[in-house]
Amino acid sequence: MAQEEEIKMIIARANRIPVWSLPYTYLAIIGIGYFFTFYDISDIGLAMPAIDAQFHIGSSLSLFLALSVGLIGYAIGSYVIGTVADIYGRYRSMILTMALTAVGSLGDALSFNVPELAVFRFITGLGLGADLNLVSSYVSEFAPPGVRGRITVYTFIVGILGQAITPFIGLVLVPVYYNGWRYLFGIGAVIAFIALLLRFELPESPRWLAAKARDIAGAKKVLEMMESTALRRVKSLPEPKPEEVTLEEQKFPTLYVFRRPYSVRLAILVVMWFFWYIGNYAFLGDAETILASAGFPVASSIRYIAVGAVGYPVGAAIMAFTADRYERKFVIFADTVVWFIGLFLFSIKTGLFIYLGSFLAALALGMYLQVAYTYTAESYPTRARTSGFALTDGIGHAGGAFGAIFLPILVASFSFAFGFRFIAVTGLIAGIIALLGPRSSRKTLEAVSA
């Protein structure tokens, strides 16, 4: 059989499987890595007030260390390791990303001056940026078309618990112990090392093996394991229906992204993520500090965000039932409407509204993130999926740096209400832009990325 026919058959065999065809423990393994990712996204904002006080670094440098250094590493890591994943495989790259985050987080905990902290925040960012990219692409390449959104959300539910639990851990540690911020990072390092060890159990993506590595034997071996697992869950599998597959010259992955239709999708998704990340990082990184600056005690500021953080897993759970039922881009828009309402309530700056607004903002984040990650990953072809995701997410993160820096300026220059209503609007703009993207729900990856 010609190589093109072999690849078409491998993809057809993968697409015919109607259920998750790997051990369910693999979802947990991926989820633990996700848990650390969201744990770290939250812990830096909780730790920085104590780090600032001990290192006497000043608010401007504190903000740069807390967000900008990590975001620079995030963008670089996402693209570089995403490109490595397209060339050398998803499996090796997912081991690398978790190793970087584990070392980085341990270094954060052991840092005793500003340069050390900056270096390890950068290393942590390298791993975090790439891991968010890789997990979404990896799970999408294994999940059946009809339940791809739901399966990716399952891993996300485990991960988003990190964002829900971290504020409570921070509340117990940071205001109480002098080295509480070190303990906070240390806990993250332990979680990351556990996730690293567990990831050695994962298989390589058969789609990548066939389409990029041309390793037909390796792809078939993984597929046989998937089919065997699936047959224990369903009585039989339908006959594979090969789709058209074009074997193109093996090029540097990024070159594919700048060809139509992917260049148009890149533009849409970059702008979508840019506007979303403005509010995402501003809220996650600045909310506690701005509340404290507005006269709320530090413990109360953390408590408002911690109680609201219950919304993260609730939002993810909602998406487990809706991510595949409705067209994904419409779901993304609806999520941003919830975000807009939540931030508008938060901006009123009274106790009950802060709690409710914090909950709805967290609910919107829990609903938006994994569905939008899945949507981004499935919009690009296998040969450049992680590279396309990396460019999209990496450039989009410029919005995160913008939001984190300018929200405090907007609050100081205008008002608390103006600042938080501004990021409410930018989130809604992201949802409107998503409506310009392709349809993807219940389609095979090859049909979406064609």
Side-chain angles (χ1 to χ4, degrees), residues 310-321:
V310 173
Y312 294 125
V314 174
I318 291 172
M319 286 299 100
F321 296 99

Side-chain angles (χ1 to χ4, degrees), residues 383-428:
R383 58 188 175 274
R385 179 161 291 118
T386 53
S387 301
F389 191 115
L391 277 175
T392 303
D393 196 51
I395 299 172
H397 264 83
F402 173 86
I405 292 170
F406 281 95
L407 178 59
I409 295 174
L410 292 175
V411 170
S413 301
F414 297 97
S415 67
F416 185 96
F418 182 89
F420 283 95
R421 289 173 188 176
F422 174 80
I423 64 173
V425 171
T426 58
L428 185 61

Side-chain angles (χ1 to χ4, degrees), residues 36-321:
F36 168 79
T37 297
F38 286 103
Y39 179 97
D40 188 83
I41 288 172
S42 297
D43 67 7
I44 185 63
L46 299 168
M48 280 315 299
I51 295 171
D52 189 8
Q54 290 181 29
F55 289 0
H56 307 291
I57 57 180
S59 58
S60 297
L61 184 55
S62 173
L63 180 61
F64 180 77
L65 285 172
L67 295 161
S68 300
V69 170
L71 284 176
I72 292 169
Y74 187 115
I76 293 173
S78 182
Y79 177 69
V80 172
I81 301 176
T83 301
V84 168
D86 275 333
I87 298 173
Y88 296 106
R90 306 343 186 180
Y91 170 78
R92 295 184 184 92
S93 300
M94 289 178 68
I95 297 296
L96 174 60
T97 58
M98 196 48 58
L100 285 170
T101 53
V103 170
S105 194
L106 180 61
D108 293 338
L110 299 177
S111 295
F112 284 94
N113 54 55
V114 173
E116 287 181 8
L117 183 61
V119 167
F120 285 110
R121 285 311 301 164
F122 178 77
I123 292 172
T124 306
L126 288 175
L128 285 179
D131 205 61
L132 281 174
N133 171 356
L134 289 169
V135 166
S136 297
S137 299
Y138 182 83
V139 176
S140 292
E141 291 180 3
F142 278 99
V147 293
R148 186 165 57 241
R150 186 192 309 170
I151 294 296
T152 56
V153 168
Y154 287 159
T155 63
F156 183 72
I157 289 174
V158 178
I160 203 68
L161 288 174
Q163 207 153 7
I165 293 171
T166 307
F168 291 100
I169 298 174
L171 184 61
V172 171
L173 296 176
V174 177
V176 177
Y177 301 101
Y178 180 78
N179 285 322
W181 65 272
R182 296 186 187 277
Y183 304 148
L184 189 63
F185 285 129
I187 291 170
V190 170
I191 296 169
F193 276 111
I194 292 172
L196 171 62
L197 294 174
L198 291 174
R199 281 196 177 180
F200 284 97
E201 295 293 317
L202 300 176
E204 181 57 89
S205 162
R207 274 187 165 86
W208 179 84
L209 287 169
K212 186 67 180 181
R214 302 292 196 266
D215 182 359
I216 304 300
K220 287 181 176 179
K221 183 176 180 181
V222 177
L223 269 174
E224 287 167 4
M225 181 265 290
M226 292 170 62
E227 290 167 340
S228 176
T229 303
L231 285 170
R232 291 197 294 270
R233 296 171 183 165
V234 295
K235 293 182 179 180
S236 63
L237 296 175
E239 287 297 315
K241 298 178 180 179
E243 300 179 25
E244 279 302 316
V245 175
T246 302
L247 289 181
E248 300 187 40
E249 180 186 349
Q250 295 286 319
K251 298 179 180 179
F252 189 67
T254 304
L255 296 177
Y256 292 109
V257 178
F258 289 100
R259 297 167 56 180
R260 285 182 174 270
Y262 311 120
S263 58
V264 176
R265 295 178 185 183
L266 176 68
I268 292 170
L269 293 170
V270 162
V271 177
M272 180 193 81
W273 279 110
F274 181 90
F275 277 96
W276 176 256
Y277 279 139
I278 288 174
N280 188 158
Y281 275 85
F283 182 74
L284 293 175
D286 295 331
E288 294 99 331
T289 303
I290 292 175
L291 285 171
S293 300
F296 294 92
V298 173
S300 296
S301 301
I302 296 177
R303 189 179 303 112
Y304 282 125
I305 304 304
V307 172
V310 173
Y312 294 125
V314 174
I318 291 172
M319 286 299 100
F321 296 99

